[in-house]
Amino acid sequence: MFGLVDCNNFYASCERVFRPELEGRPVVVLSNNDGCVVARSQEAKALGLKMGVPYFQVKAEFEQRGGVACSSNYELYGDMSRRVMWYLQQVAPAVEIYSVDEAFLDLHGMQRHYNLAGWAGDVRGAVRQRTGIPVCVGVAPTKTLAKLANRLAKVDSLAKVGSGVLVLDDEEQRREALARVAVEDVWGVGYRSAAKLYTAGIRTAAQLAGVGDAWARKNLGGVVGARMLHELRGFPCSGVTVEDEARKSMCCSRSFGQVLTRMEDVTGAVATHAARAGEKLRAQGMAARMLTVFIETSRYGNVPPPYSFSTQLTLPTATDDTLTLTSWARRGLERIWRPGLRYVKAGMMLDGLERAGADQQASLFAEVARTPARAKLMGTLDALNGKFGAGAVRVGTAVGTAGRPEPWGMRRGAKSPAFTTKWGELWQVRC
Amino acid sequence: MVNLLLSCGFPSPAADYESELVDLNRLMLRHPDASYLARAHGESMTGAGIHDGDVLAVDRSMQAQDGDIVVACVEGEYTVKRLSKRIDSVALVAENPAYQPIVVRNADDLRIFGVVVLVLHPLVTEGRRGLSYVRPQ
């Protein structure tokens, strides 16, 4: 059996842990630069607020009805996520952290010793007690069904009211659950597959589970589609992946707090991403062989498309060195830069990731990037930034003009403090 | 001769016993998922040794019992008080005669965040020798 633990309205729930005045009020969390609604409390959902809606469109009415908007506070969400996952790893035999607020549990063989519904209920209660985050738990013979059970656990239709737990362990329950879920809500059904399925008259997960394998292979992405059907029928096709599999690519990008027009400002933003990417690579012991730089211009105004430009560079040798990444990223940016445009976003992507040092293909070029001295410099850089806060020590390019805030920085007007991760913003209690 | 050898770099007999520094987190954050640090503000708990500006370690994993110092939610705000369970009510009692107890008639209305398990109180004034024991850099 597999379990899926999913945090309810995760970002909004995190905000409430240290801000009890938000309890019972509609809360939304906004995307970077306070643009769109990316998370909603139950009360905000009840007001009819849609996910992804630009906040300025709903602000007046939402606030008039007592709603509170929070800028995204990723330091806080990251720490609360770490806490939830840490606990799950203590109690479940194996855990796959699927996203910031979701984890699959491998519950193989546990039925013999536990009543799974009771066990899942205890886990749910303990997570709430220890972190303040409400979660729902779905348990089923496959990951796809566990995901579906979790969805139903959230809405109290099949689960015992208020229990937040749904276990699908017999055939009848499985059928009943499948009949209640729309086909587009099945894990793995994308927007395009859903359109295809609707055209073929397939509306529910139950109908989907009944289509032929040949049809699924042809219309739902080959073997992936066939696997999804097997999983819906209760035959597991994938297990829990415990170790974060060496990722093959990595992306760092962010919208600017304001429109940028000067190349040095955009270069600064790109250099910041390069530094972050270098840090991530070193933390994972990886090195990158390919680097893509991209920039996006404002879609508003009288400028015709294209609105995004990118270029890919193949590095002479795989690297995890911030200085090397920065200088290549800068070269890439010079290649795609068009003066006179209004830029809103920049980013870089690293591909062809391999284990640093190990099985790297030999290069004809001198290995400038991985001399021991440079490796030591990067180690020192990471240690300093770990100790004094991200970005304490940076490459010159990534530093704004003295005395003025970095123009590429994020706008987060209503951000709550990083309650748990910064001494200067520590949670405060009255005595 | 033996002395000479020693001074030439005979490995220190203490090398076998080297270890990391004791990690304060292991004391203050006993449960990595359920332990939280907070900064205290106010004078109501001075009798319990909690002073303005102190750092508190709060543990959410344990059930609050009568007599525990807790972080509780009163009117939408977290406050630190001693929990006093009575037959028909619950009170949050200050440890300073200048403050009145807060009585909660219905125990279900009381939301307790966690139990205060440790206080970190600096004993030198801030800024001495440029070091701060209140707000590390």
Side-chain angles (χ1 to χ4, degrees):
Chain A
M1 295 290 267
F2 293 91
L4 179 74
V5 179
D6 188 7
C7 302
N8 303 351
N9 317 319
F10 182 57
Y11 294 173
S13 299
C14 289
E15 294 288 346
R16 277 186 174 153
V17 172
F18 298 96
R19 296 176 63 188
E21 76 273 16
L22 299 181
E23 203 57 54
R25 295 180 68 176
V27 176
V28 294
V29 176
L30 306 177
S31 60
N32 288 346
N33 299 315
D34 294 347
C36 303
V37 171
V38 292
R40 304 158 297 162
S41 72
Q42 214 52 51
E43 297 80 1
K45 287 178 186 170
L47 287 181
L49 251 75
K50 294 275 173 286
M51 197 72 167
V53 67
Y55 185 58
F56 74 89
Q57 288 178 7
V58 295
K59 183 175 195 271
E61 200 195 335
F62 181 64
E63 286 174 6
Q64 199 211 330
R65 299 173 91 168
V68 180
C70 306
S71 301
S72 32
N73 183 349
Y74 294 113
E75 296 94 331
L76 175 65
Y77 312 151
D79 181 55
M80 296 312 291
S81 169
R82 188 183 58 76
R83 289 168 181 272
V84 171
M85 300 308 170
W86 192 91
Y87 177 73
L88 295 176
Q89 283 164 339
Q90 302 309 300
V91 295
V95 177
E96 174 184 345
I97 298 169
Y98 183 66
S99 71
V100 69
D101 58 353
E102 274 176 290
F104 283 106
L105 314 180
D106 187 346
L107 307 179
H108 215 79
M110 277 183 60
Q111 296 119 288
R112 269 182 287 143
H113 310 289
Y114 293 93
N115 164 349
L116 284 182
W119 182 84
D122 290 347
V123 168
R124 180 175 183 265
V127 171
R128 182 72 195 249
Q129 160 103 28
R130 301 171 83 95
T131 67
I133 303 291
V135 301
C136 283
V137 189
V139 177
T142 70
K143 284 166 85 175
T144 307
L145 286 172
K147 197 91 174 150
L148 192 136
N150 188 289
R151 192 180 181 83
L152 292 168
K154 284 215 155 88
V155 294
D156 283 340
S157 57
L158 279 182
K160 215 165 77 205
V161 174
S163 77
V165 171
L166 181 63
V167 179
L168 301 177
D169 57 1
D170 70 40
E171 186 53 25
E172 197 181 327
Q173 283 172 318
R174 188 184 65 85
R175 279 177 200 281
E176 203 181 334
L178 288 182
R180 284 173 191 250
V181 172
V183 76
E184 67 268 27
D185 293 333
V186 172
W187 187 39
V189 173
Y191 173 78
R192 284 178 54 190
S193 307
K196 245 184 231 169
L197 289 162
Y198 265 71
T199 314
I202 296 158
R203 303 277 160 102
T204 68
Q207 289 173 308
L208 177 60
V211 306
D213 284 359
W215 192 90
R217 272 176 198 276
K218 185 156 172 273
N219 294 288
L220 299 173
V223 71
V224 180
R227 275 197 192 144
M228 179 170 70
L229 293 197
H230 280 281
E231 289 238 322
L232 279 178
R233 293 170 191 149
F235 305 104
C237 294
S238 72
V240 156
T241 320
V242 176
E243 239 196 340
D244 196 350
E245 258 184 47
R247 282 190 293 169
K248 291 282 191 281
S249 74
M250 171 183 292
C251 182
C252 290
S253 78
R254 204 164 263 183
S255 301
F256 309 138
Q258 63 192 74
V259 169
L260 298 182
T261 54
R262 296 178 345 148
M263 185 164 174
E264 58 182 279
D265 289 344
V266 177
T267 308
V270 170
T272 306
H273 295 319
R276 184 80 196 97
E279 224 171 82
K280 279 201 215 168
L281 282 175
R282 293 190 294 276
Q284 296 178 11
M286 306 293 278
R289 190 167 277 280
M290 253 166 349
L291 187 157
T292 307
V293 182
F294 58 91
I295 44 181
E296 278 177 38
T297 62
S298 170
R299 278 154 208 268
Y300 303 101
N302 295 322
V303 188
Y307 299 115
S308 75
F309 308 93
S310 72
T311 184
Q312 194 174 58
L313 301 139
T314 304
L315 311 183
T317 163
T319 185
D320 61 358
D321 179 274
T322 294
L323 299 178
T324 310
L325 291 172
T326 309
S327 87
W328 283 96
R330 196 179 191 159
R331 243 178 273 185
L333 182 65
E334 279 162 8
R335 218 190 262 179
I336 53 177
W337 180 262
R338 323 255 155 117
L341 295 180
R342 295 159 55 76
Y343 293 97
V344 295
K345 186 177 186 174
M348 60 180 278
M349 207 148 63
L350 297 175
D351 291 289
L353 301 194
E354 48 195 68
R355 290 256 155 240
D359 52 68
Q360 281 181 19
Q361 286 171 38
S363 165
L364 287 174
F365 302 93
E367 289 241 1
V368 187
R370 277 204 73 82
T371 60
R374 274 294 263 282
K376 204 171 156 199
L377 174 63
M378 290 302 122
T380 310
L381 188 69
D382 292 342
L384 285 170
N385 285 334
K387 190 163 173 194
F388 296 108
V393 183
R394 286 175 284 182
V395 179
T397 327
V399 180
T401 314
R404 106 190 142 105
E406 288 139 13
W408 59 85
M410 255 203 287
R411 208 167 53 225
R412 294 196 285 183
K415 188 180 91 67
S416 44
F419 291 109
T420 56
T421 52
K422 286 206 182 99
W423 279 108
E425 300 181 18
L426 204 62
W427 178 38
Q428 315 232 351
V429 288
R430 290 233 136 265
C431 287
Chain B
M1 194 61 189
V2 170
N3 280 335
L4 189 65
L5 269 176
L6 278 173
S7 64
C8 283
F10 189 82
S12 157
D16 284 350
Y17 301 97
E18 269 174 28
S19 69
E20 308 231 319
L21 282 175
V22 289
D23 180 0
L24 200 51
N25 284 336
R26 287 185 55 197
L27 190 68
M28 298 212 48
L29 307 173
R30 284 292 283 275
H31 302 110
D33 57 332
S35 302
Y36 300 81
L37 297 181
R39 194 175 294 281
H41 277 285
E43 308 290 340
S44 75
M45 294 303 285
T46 49
I50 299 173
H51 296 85
D52 189 58
D54 286 356
V55 175
L56 311 177
V58 184
D59 196 324
R60 282 191 77 130
S61 70
M62 52 178 85
Q63 284 295 335
Q65 290 172 0
D66 180 49
D68 283 345
I69 293 177
V70 298
V71 175
C73 181
V74 176
E75 287 167 355
E77 200 185 32
Y78 284 126
T79 184
V80 179
K81 294 288 178 289
R82 196 178 289 283
L83 184 68
S84 170
K85 291 189 171 174
R86 299 167 188 175
I87 295 163
D88 55 348
S89 69
V90 176
L92 295 169
V93 184
E95 293 277 334
N96 180 337
Y99 292 78
Q100 292 298 312
I102 302 162
V103 179
V104 184
R105 290 265 162 248
N106 188 351
D108 294 340
D109 290 347
L110 185 66
R111 273 189 44 220
I112 292 179
F113 182 96
V115 177
V116 180
V117 290
L118 270 171
V119 187
L120 213 58
H121 176 70
L123 295 175
V124 288
T125 45
E126 203 169 340
R128 200 159 123 201
R129 290 188 223 104
L131 289 172
S132 170
Y133 286 95
V134 181
R135 285 166 214 282
Q137 289 308 300

